[in-house]
Amino acid sequence: MGTPAGFTLGELAATLGAKLEGDPGRRVTGVAPLEAAGPEEISFLIDARYRPAAETSKAGALLVAESMSGLPGPLLRSSSPQQALIALLTLFHPVTTPPPGVDPSAIVARDAKIDPSASIGAMAVIGSGAVIGPRVLVHPLVYVGPDVEVGEASVLHPRVVLCEGVRLGRRVTVQAGAVIGGDGFGYVFDGGGHRKIPQVGSVVIEDDVDIGANTTIDRAMLGRTLIGRGTKIDNLVQVGHNVEIGEHSIIVAQVGISGSCRLGRGVIAAGQVGFADHLTVGDGAVLGAQAGVSEDVPAGERRLGAPALPILQAKRIFAAQKQLPDMSRRLRHAERRLAELETRLGIAPSEPSETGSADDRA
Amino acid sequence: MGTPAGFTLGELAATLGAKLEGDPGRRVTGVAPLEAAGPEEISFLIDARYRPAAETSKAGALLVAESMSGLPGPLLRSSSPQQALIALLTLFHPVTTPPPGVDPSAIVARDAKIDPSASIGAMAVIGSGAVIGPRVLVHPLVYVGPDVEVGEASVLHPRVVLCEGVRLGRRVTVQAGAVIGGDGFGYVFDGGGHRKIPQVGSVVIEDDVDIGANTTIDRAMLGRTLIGRGTKIDNLVQVGHNVEIGEHSIIVAQVGISGSCRLGRGVIAAGQVGFADHLTVGDGAVLGAQAGVSEDVPAGERRLGAPALPILQAKRIFAAQKQLPDMSRRLRHAERRLAELETRLGIAPSEPSETGSADDRA
Amino acid sequence: MGTPAGFTLGELAATLGAKLEGDPGRRVTGVAPLEAAGPEEISFLIDARYRPAAETSKAGALLVAESMSGLPGPLLRSSSPQQALIALLTLFHPVTTPPPGVDPSAIVARDAKIDPSASIGAMAVIGSGAVIGPRVLVHPLVYVGPDVEVGEASVLHPRVVLCEGVRLGRRVTVQAGAVIGGDGFGYVFDGGGHRKIPQVGSVVIEDDVDIGANTTIDRAMLGRTLIGRGTKIDNLVQVGHNVEIGEHSIIVAQVGISGSCRLGRGVIAAGQVGFADHLTVGDGAVLGAQAGVSEDVPAGERRLGAPALPILQAKRIFAAQKQLPDMSRRLRHAERRLAELETRLGIAPSEPSETGSADDRA
């Protein structure tokens, strides 16, 4: 079995644990999106939004959920179609890894320890005392600073920077251009200028974490910045000094997390969310895109808006805001009607007090 | 004609197709901003906001629009002053290109194809199967991955990363630090952790696209992420996997475009705009700075705010929001007046219902 | 005195100018956070939020403010505890600098001037005509373009890019991955496409400026982009072409400053703030996180929100927005009560005018 020859639908059904409706001898040579797939390719329908594209697709077969009905043509039905898709893509696109060893153009400090099964790419720089574990891939132009540790089977894409003393667990993937362990942003104004507080802590990245392209994770002032096991961080995210993120959280692109925040386990922060400093965000909290989180968030709570509010409240406010110009007009109209009634009843119309009372800000 | 000797106003008028008011023999040796220009330099007034600076400028000559009146001194009047400014700047600052050839410190895979007219800078890394077209400039420390194609006269500034299989058209400029073709952000939770969906698609950048410094454009999960011809992308922009942007669009700094969005032709997204995933944005749509785009945008529509609304509606809401504390006070006052009237008429004051009715959210 | 042996509290009190309460002969060997410190380490309590942690800390001594009362154990009392903390951290974590000289793997143009006391790291590229001052540290994989000047004792962390002609003052620190001097984002639409306006200006960074990881600062179209003395810029910040920032300002992560903005001295822009182009922001102005600054800001003013408003007004609006769904309900209720009263008095209920009056938008 190999990609050029492809796989029969029977082979795929067996490998993916899927139920085949169609000819088990039919052969497909690649995976393609619904619109682009031809009769020699397999495609998939997992997100129901794409059903119309599935109905007109020329794909030779479709991977679908067990319950999907009404689609023609050969189908591979899976009880966990997303997992099956991962298997399918991996089958047709096996990861190729460079051979182990150190590229002759790399600069490796004499006292760095490189596992013989690791691969160090062209022009990479490995600092003094660094430890590179088994089967680690260090792509070209990567900088691994002094005393950095990179755990087994981790992958550093081109041009990643790991500053002095940073520790990565096993199976950590860092996309190109990310900077881990830059100085935190801490200053004290001494009357003449901002004096920098030395940032002498470190960064610890636990197992199975992914970090996106050009993302920045600052070292702690003292102690450590911590990214918990299994957490996935997207591109261009900023993680400030002394932040701790729990396990299996999801941080989408361009999120900014200010210093000393504690995010729990399974937190989801959608794109462009900002967290003020020193906040505690409980396990499983969900922050909607562009939320401005300015206070602690209890576990499991969903927040939206800037400043972020509980999601139902935020949505009710968004809805009411649309009525606001209309409300303004209706309020003026009501005031005129009141004045008319007061006139009829011989009551002197009163003006609202000019100075706001305490509850004006409630 | 050369920069040290400069140009006479007569020469400039001829080259720029401008109408000269002044001495054609007068010579200027450089272009400078209005405040900084001396009598030997030419400056320009295109944006009317700078008129006061033009009136006090010591510049030896000014490039202005045909209709500009009331300015003293030698003037070059152009019917398209912005185009003339481009020509003027290019004249005084001709682009110097490094000589063709591969720097001896670059690492080029044996089977990469480098056009002899291309220039490959110091410490650049060119992967296996890559194709570098005629007159391409690859600056130092650039990473060009396996099977990447870079079209004629494209420029890769220092430290750009093009991941495996990315394709750039002709005259594409990528500023320093941009990462094109990093993995998209796609995971499936399998109960124990987030499993990564293999990102096996690619990125296609069409002709005449510019991409800003430290911008990230992710590869498609399957198929391709596409940046259409002539589109200009600023710094620190995030383009998610499977996004398609049409021709001649403008994406300003720090915009985030979530996965599978389709932006049309001539779309303008101002700074820090965020797009939720799977949205369709029609041709010529304009999104104001920091807009949070959470639903499809019809062609030609202007939207503002978060969540983004049609611009007039958004501006009306912004205006009404400023009145909101006042409205709150006036509403309370109106309620007191109502209670007073009801008392006079012997009507029992009623309380608003505590449970919101359906249209509370309308 | 040395780090392995640590320091006695008496020695620390003398060095930091602090008043010791406790045994001057007691020895500590490191600084640690309150929760992590053991009896052989010193910790500190400056931010009162951490008082509970101080009360249960096992630290062998605490650095505190003079006025801090009720804490047990050895205390070092300082009249300026933050400055003392900087001294303390520096004492235990002295900065180690690489030896002067040019790494043999660096590529230095023949006509670049490198001060003999400067250190040029592995794989760094120094362009033609560049001037590197005394005691400058250029870390590995840095790109210093042609005609760049880097002043005395500045530090360029790994993979920094300084494009052609950029000038850095003395004691400037640039974190990894920052790009200074990329092209500004300026185009003119000529009917067929966006034509680029040549960006031929430069960037000037004055003394004592810090610049964060992966931050981008664009060169001026003409003239210069200027970062004033002592200003500190965090990670992933975008500074557009021709921006000028005054002295001692603080720009927090992910801020975006559009072209030609003038920020004064001592301005503070919190995280993710956006500035529209051509704005003037006065000395000492403070912009709250995620603010959308769309008009000039007077000196000393604090603004919040998007669009940004004076902070008290913004907070009043945020508070009133929370009442908005309730106000909507109460307004409807008031209208019903009005109709009831009008019926009683035999007045025909009137409808609010459908066409908004001029002050609807006030």
Side-chain angles (χ1 to χ4, degrees), chain A residues 44 50 83 123 159 175 210 214 235 248 254 272 290 316 319 321 323 328 335 342 345 350 353 360, chain B residues 105 107 159 177 183 187 190 194-195 214 218 238 255-256 278 292 321 323 330 332-333 337 361:
Chain A
F44 56 92
Y50 291 113
Q83 308 294 343
M123 310 283 191
R159 236 191 50 195
Q175 296 291 322
D210 287 358
N214 283 347
N235 298 349
H248 302 301
Q254 295 177 321
Q272 298 184 332
Q290 293 188 326
R316 222 167 279 159
Q321 280 175 338
Q323 302 179 322
S328 173
E335 288 171 330
E342 287 164 339
L345 293 174
S350 70
S353 59
D360 278 3
Chain B
S105 67
I107 305 277
R159 235 191 52 194
D183 281 357
Y187 298 89
D190 72 358
H194 302 289
R195 287 188 63 201
N214 283 347
D218 284 348
Q238 154 69 2
V255 166
H278 285 90
Q321 279 175 337
Q323 303 179 322
R330 283 162 50 208
R332 270 196 308 279
H333 184 62
R337 290 161 72 186
R361 309 190 185 184

Side-chain angles (χ1 to χ4, degrees), chain A residues 178-179 210-218 227 232-240 245 250-257 269-273 275, chain B residues 185 216 236 238, chain C residues 213-214 235-236 253-254 272:
Chain A
V179 175
D210 287 358
I211 294 169
N214 283 347
T215 278
T216 58
I217 301 179
D218 283 350
I227 311 295
K232 311 298 184 185
I233 299 179
D234 200 353
N235 298 349
L236 293 170
V237 169
Q238 154 69 2
V239 180
I245 305 181
I250 294 280
I251 311 293
V252 178
Q254 295 177 321
V255 166
I257 308 179
Q272 298 184 332
V273 168
F275 293 87
Chain B
F185 195 68
T216 57
L236 293 171
Q238 154 69 2
Chain C
N214 283 347
N235 298 348
L236 293 170
Q254 295 177 321
Q272 298 184 334

Side-chain angles (χ1 to χ4, degrees), chain A residues 159 187 195 278 321 332, chain C residues 50 83 159 210 321 360:
Chain A
R159 236 191 50 195
Y187 298 89
R195 286 188 63 201
H278 286 88
Q321 280 175 338
R332 271 195 308 278
Chain C
Y50 291 113
Q83 309 294 342
R159 236 190 52 194
D210 288 356
Q321 281 175 338
D360 279 359

Side-chain angles (χ1 to χ4, degrees), chain B residues 67 221 313:
Chain B
S67 58
M221 186 199 90
Q313 185 184 4

